Amino acid sequence: QVQLVESGGGLVQPGGSLSLSCAASGDVASISAMGWYRQAPGKGRELVATITRGGMTTYSDSVKGRFTCSRDNAKNTVYLQMTTLKPEDTAVYYCNADRFGVRYWGKGTLVTVSF
């Protein structure tokens, strides 16, 4: 089993920045891809960014150029640096990790972008 705990959510004004982190524990050996998804009120869960163990990243078009996903394999932690935040970025952000084809999820952290 893999446990994922997100931190760093909160309230930020439009145009502001926020950083999220997600620490993995448990059977962390052989975790391959990690990433972030989000779910806005009344909408389905959508991909935000993924990162391989080697550091290759992919981003959704809606966050490309504004968000940066990084990873520290020694700390089993994945990060999401968010800049130029927009009200439509408001959502619960979930951390995700893949290990031998099994997908694990954190409980999520709320990000609210509003005045």
Side-chain angles (χ1 to χ4, degrees), residues 37-40 44-46 48 62-63 67 88-89 91-93:
Y37 288 68
R38 68 186 181 186
Q39 186 165 15
R45 192 171 296 189
E46 65 172 358
V48 175
S62 62
V63 307
F67 290 11
E88 51 264 42
D89 294 318
V92 176
Y93 284 70

Side-chain angles (χ1 to χ4, degrees), residues 19-83:
S19 294
L20 305 181
S21 62
C22 171
S25 61
D27 294 331
V28 297
S30 299
I31 287 178
S32 53
M34 297 185 76
W36 294 92
Y37 288 68
R38 68 186 181 186
Q39 186 165 15
K43 296 187 177 180
R45 192 171 296 189
E46 65 172 358
L47 171 71
V48 175
T50 65
I51 185 167
T52 67
R53 193 169 187 85
M56 291 183 63
T57 53
T58 59
Y59 298 94
S60 67
D61 288 343
S62 62
V63 307
K64 200 172 293 182
R66 299 188 298 121
F67 290 11
T68 302
C69 184
S70 60
R71 178 172 176 171
D72 186 333
N73 291 327
K75 295 181 178 180
N76 299 307
T77 300
V78 63
Y79 305 94
L80 187 68
Q81 175 68 38
M82 304 181 290
T83 64

